[in-house]
């Protein structure tokens, strides 16, 4: 580990039946864990049944969610592209909190027919509003070339380099931003 212990959350941004984000997240976590530079935590939104923003109830679920996000020093969002944007469940999970996100870094790994690029661009705007520093390197996974029959994840070798470059940036920015949160 480096001088300062970091916790990086890998957030799976889809809960749909038949989703592929768990495959992408497991691959990403395996690559990240091999680096030895932080503690990487899979955070699957399917494990956090959150209420819809503005609806009554769910205070315990929101407090639990806030505690998990609050413990993280940075994030990697694994997002699918749904209708040219991120999933509703990911947007809701982000919107339910404010302070827990601030002054932290984030990387984005997206997937879809265009590599999820449009979802990532929407996510960047949302993160910026919450004072999250998103990093430049952005691995994009194509449903056509990185998934067999659109279902089984088989990433191209080039993505390993891109993921490591993104994680380098997430670690550097998370380390720097931790000093202003202390």
């Amino acid at each position: 580990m480096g001088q300062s212990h970091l916790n990086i959350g890998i957030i799976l941004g889809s809960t749909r039946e038949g989703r592929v984000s768990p495959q992408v997240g497991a691959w990403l976590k395996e690559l990240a864990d091999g680096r030895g530079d932080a503690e990487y935590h899979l955070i699957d939104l399917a494990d956090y049944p959150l209420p819809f923003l503005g609806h009554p109830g769910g205070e315990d679920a929101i407090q639990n969610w806030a505690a998990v996000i609050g413990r993280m020093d940075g994030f990697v969002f694994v997002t699918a592209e749904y209708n040219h944007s991120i999933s509703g469940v990911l947007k809701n999970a982000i919107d339910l909190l404010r302070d827990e996100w601030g002054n932290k870094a984030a990387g984005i790994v997206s997937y879809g027919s265009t590599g999820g690029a449009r979802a990532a661009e929407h996510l960047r705007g949302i993160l910026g509003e919450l004072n999250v520093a998103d990093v430049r390197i952005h691995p994009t996974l194509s449903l056509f070339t990185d998934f067999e029959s659109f279902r089984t994840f088989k990433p191209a070798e080039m993505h390993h380099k891109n993921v490591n470059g993104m994680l380098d940036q997430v670690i550097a920015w998370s380390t720097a931003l931790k000093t202003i949160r202390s």
Side-chain angles (χ1 to χ4, degrees), residues 15-131:
T15 59
R16 282 189 180 176
E17 184 73 30
R19 66 199 172 122
V20 297
S21 61
Q23 294 175 63
V24 177
W27 169 76
L28 183 61
K29 185 166 182 341
E30 183 179 340
L31 287 175
D33 285 344
R35 296 166 51 93
D37 56 0
E39 291 291 324
Y40 293 91
H41 308 268
L42 270 178
I43 302 172
D44 189 344
L45 290 180
D47 296 334
Y48 297 89
L50 297 166
F52 188 71
L53 180 66
H55 285 220
E59 289 80 12
D60 289 342
I62 295 170
Q63 285 180 358
N64 182 39
W65 178 239
V68 168
I69 297 305
R71 284 191 297 271
M72 297 300 122
D73 298 302
F75 307 96
V76 176
F77 289 88
V78 176
T79 184
E81 184 172 309
Y82 295 162
N83 300 318
H84 292 209
S85 192
I86 62 174
S87 69
V89 71
L90 178 56
K91 179 70 164 87
N92 186 61
I94 293 170
D95 287 348
L96 284 168
L97 306 178
R98 184 154 197 87
D99 295 338
E100 292 82 1
W101 298 112
N103 292 317
K104 297 179 181 179
I108 300 169
V109 175
S110 62
Y111 60 93
S113 60
T114 60
R118 296 170 293 208
E121 286 307 308
H122 281 195
L123 183 54
R124 287 180 192 281
I126 296 162
L127 295 175
E129 180 61 24
L130 293 169
N131 209 24

Side-chain angles (χ1 to χ4, degrees), residues 3-4 24 57 70 90 94 105 114 121 128 131 134 137 146 156 170 176 179:
Q3 291 179 308
S4 177
V24 177
L90 178 56
I94 293 170
T114 60
E121 286 307 308
N131 209 24
D134 62 283
I137 297 177
D146 294 305
V170 169
T179 65

